Amino acid sequence: MDPLDILTHLDQVVPYYQPIFSADEQCIIGYEVLGRFQTADGIVSLGSFFHDETIPEEFRMEVDQTVTMKAFDQFLYAQDPSSLIFINRDANLLMLDRGEAFLQMLLRYKEKGLKLERIVLEITEHNFKGDIQQLGHVLTYFRTYGIKIAVDNIGKESSNLDRIRLLSPDILKIDLQALRTTSVSLSYHDVLYSISLLARKIGATLLYEDIESSFQLQYAWRNGGRYYQGYYLSEPSDQFLPSDFLKERLRQKFHQFIQHEKKKLQTLYDISEQFQLKIGELLAKHKKIQDFNELISLLAKELSDCCFRIYICDEDGFQRSANIFKKDEGWELQPQYYMKNWSWRPYFLENIIRMRSRKRGILSDLYSDIETGETIRTYSYPIDEHHYLFIDLSYAYLFEHNAHLS
């Protein structure tokens, strides 16, 4: 479309609304406002217009203002006066006047009865080219009026977690486009896991967007998502929907997700219990063996069907045996690992304390092995009060026993 056609026909610029659903109530909690243009051939998205930096800033701002004001006029008379209103703003354009024009527009609508506590300002951090601290100050000022802040498109492009932390948003919107492919790397899941940890640290809510399948909805639910948005749930429309529009369907979906998760957790619990009994029996069988290298060699022969590496550490993380490593259907002692320290690994010392206090073994979560690159789990077991056995389980074994899922 010719930008001038849009600017000379602002009466044909209209807001569309995409619902956002909640996990806790299974209802619509708000709408994202999207710009559309009415043509003779139908409705066209204005997304490309807003993202085209060759179009003068004042043109994009004028159209943006038109969409927002028309949306506010409709929200004033909406049936649900508590629904959140997600408004997108280019942070670079917003900072041209430090958000003053945007704020003054909001204050005018406040006088008409629109509660500013309903407003969620969406910005994209990785597109911002200015001083991030100055942007942070402006957003902090907006919050004094009750306005909420959302950082958009996280996970879609390179996002700087330190910059996001500085902005201290109320909502983090995670883009799930990458999950449309079947070859999503484990690192992608790790990035989203890091984002979920950040959200927890700063007290932000996770909103997963671009959900286009049941699988993506399940992923969002399983990875801390409180809010969901996407074509799988509802396409943008020029109408508001009843808040309980998908309540029954979401309840059924969440029930399926819960059953699947409980089944997976039961599988992992059963595997852990099996190893608890098996390792206990093997250690009792070889209790007279004092040499740790001899002990892991004997254990390797009896655990050859499920693991590829065994070693022993003390309570401070220093390795008190060699590694015994499965190679070409045989086992090889690797003495160079003796006295290496692993206390720097995440959760290592925490797991030592858990094993010592409970006197039980622990099955780890899935992770990528540093040396082999294979996705594995580790089963750890307390030999005595000071020494702990570590058994790295192969992916083939995990897959066979349905323990390969994160």
Side-chain angles (χ1 to χ4, degrees):
M1 287 187 299
D2 187 336
L4 288 177
D5 286 342
I6 298 172
L7 287 160
T8 55
H9 296 88
L10 290 178
D11 58 313
Q12 294 171 227
V13 171
V14 294
Y16 263 50
Y17 310 102
Q18 186 167 35
I20 295 167
F21 297 83
S22 75
D24 43 359
E25 297 181 47
Q26 305 94 52
C27 65
I28 296 172
I29 54 88
Y31 294 87
E32 180 177 358
V33 177
L34 303 169
R36 296 291 187 264
F37 189 72
Q38 295 172 325
T39 72
D41 298 322
I43 296 293
V44 179
S45 171
L46 287 173
S48 58
F49 173 87
F50 290 128
H51 293 113
D52 188 347
E53 295 186 2
T54 65
I55 299 173
E57 296 164 346
E58 60 270 22
F59 291 179
R60 288 182 282 153
M61 293 172 69
E62 183 176 1
V63 175
D64 217 348
Q65 183 110 329
T66 301
V67 172
T68 304
M69 292 175 65
K70 288 185 177 182
F72 284 166
D73 288 337
Q74 290 183 280
F75 273 110
L76 282 172
Y77 303 103
Q79 290 184 344
D80 184 1
S82 63
S83 61
L84 298 174
I85 308 167
F86 287 71
I87 302 295
N88 287 285
R89 277 294 181 274
D90 184 321
N92 297 295
L93 300 183
L94 186 74
M95 289 298 288
L96 290 177
D97 65 352
R98 296 178 63 83
E100 190 60 30
F102 179 70
L103 181 59
Q104 290 305 314
M105 177 181 61
L106 293 180
L107 293 176
R108 288 195 297 272
Y109 275 92
K110 181 183 179 183
E111 293 177 358
K112 297 179 180 181
L114 186 69
K115 294 182 179 180
L116 298 192
E117 291 80 7
R118 296 175 64 188
I119 304 299
V120 181
L121 172 61
E122 280 192 38
I123 62 166
T124 303
E125 166 273 326
H126 59 253
N127 286 344
F128 183 59
K129 301 172 184 175
D131 186 331
I132 195 71
Q133 290 191 331
Q134 291 301 316
L135 176 60
H137 294 326
V138 169
L139 299 183
T140 299
Y141 181 59
F142 282 173
R143 283 196 192 87
T144 64
Y145 290 91
I147 301 166
K148 299 174 179 63
I149 306 300
V151 174
D152 194 10
N153 283 343
I154 296 177
K156 190 172 185 179
E157 297 182 33
S158 58
S159 297
N160 187 313
L161 297 188
D162 287 334
R163 281 162 58 99
I164 294 172
R165 183 191 290 270
L166 186 68
L167 299 178
S168 195
D170 303 283
I171 297 172
L172 296 179
K173 294 191 72 174
I174 298 178
D175 189 291
L176 288 183
Q177 277 191 346
L179 283 187
R180 295 175 192 171
T181 66
T182 57
S183 58
V184 180
S185 67
L186 192 62
S187 61
Y188 174 80
H189 300 290
D190 291 340
V191 168
L192 294 192
Y193 178 67
S194 298
I195 293 170
S196 68
L197 290 180
L198 172 64
R200 184 179 177 187
K201 292 286 186 183
I202 66 177
T205 297
L206 292 181
L207 190 165
Y208 284 86
E209 59 182 337
D210 284 323
I211 294 175
E212 296 191 354
S213 67
S214 177
F215 162 70
Q216 289 175 316
L217 179 62
Q218 182 176 14
Y219 184 91
W221 173 85
R222 186 160 44 88
N223 287 275
R226 183 182 182 185
Y227 300 147
Y228 315 113
Q229 178 183 11
Y231 277 47
Y232 177 72
L233 300 169
S234 181
E235 296 185 12
S237 165
D238 60 351
Q239 301 293 320
F240 299 120
L241 298 170
S243 63
D244 61 353
F245 172 64
L246 287 184
K247 195 174 188 72
E248 189 56 37
R249 177 181 160 195
L250 286 175
R251 280 184 174 177
Q252 292 174 3
K253 280 290 178 184
F254 292 157
H255 178 71
Q256 293 172 13
F257 299 162
I258 290 167
Q259 295 305 110
H260 179 271
E261 194 70 12
K262 287 167 68 175
K263 184 177 180 181
K264 184 189 75 176
L265 291 172
Q266 184 65 51
T267 297
L268 295 178
Y269 175 80
D270 292 344
I271 289 174
S272 186
E273 285 296 293
Q274 291 167 13
F275 272 99
Q276 177 74 24
L277 293 172
K278 188 169 187 175
I279 301 304
E281 291 173 357
L282 289 176
L283 290 177
K285 177 180 176 181
H286 301 299
K287 63 182 179 180
K288 294 183 179 180
I289 305 298
Q290 299 296 314
D291 181 84
F292 284 152
N293 284 348
E294 184 181 354
L295 176 60
I296 61 175
S297 297
L298 291 169
L299 293 176
K301 293 178 182 178
E302 307 211 42
L303 298 172
S304 189
D305 62 325
C306 61
C307 73
F308 67 94
R309 185 193 291 123
I310 304 175
Y311 56 98
I312 294 170
C313 290
D314 65 22
E315 59 190 333
D316 293 330
F318 287 97
Q319 192 159 325
R320 293 297 180 169
S321 73
N323 277 0
I324 188 162
F325 188 83
K326 194 173 186 180
K327 192 173 183 181
D328 300 328
E329 300 303 317
W331 289 92
E332 174 187 322
L333 273 176
Q334 299 173 321
Q336 66 269 28
Y337 288 90
Y338 178 70
M339 287 306 291
K340 286 202 172 188
N341 186 272
W342 307 112
S343 61
W344 54 268
R345 284 179 168 172
Y347 310 113
F348 184 94
L349 294 177
E350 178 183 341
N351 286 340
I352 291 291
I353 298 301
R354 286 173 61 195
M355 286 189 286
R356 187 166 68 187
S357 61
R358 299 176 184 177
K359 295 179 172 54
R360 294 186 63 81
I362 293 174
L363 185 66
S364 78
D365 58 0
L366 280 180
Y367 67 96
S368 292
D369 184 65
I370 293 175
E371 292 185 7
T372 66
E374 188 175 14
T375 300
I376 68 169
R377 294 184 189 270
T378 297
Y379 183 76
S380 316
Y381 187 92
I383 297 176
D384 54 40
E385 291 186 2
H386 305 290
H387 298 96
Y388 299 84
L389 180 69
F390 294 86
I391 302 168
D392 290 338
L393 307 180
S394 67
Y395 186 82
Y397 174 83
L398 297 176
F399 186 84
E400 182 182 347
H401 291 79
N402 292 317
H404 61 294
L405 302 174
S406 60

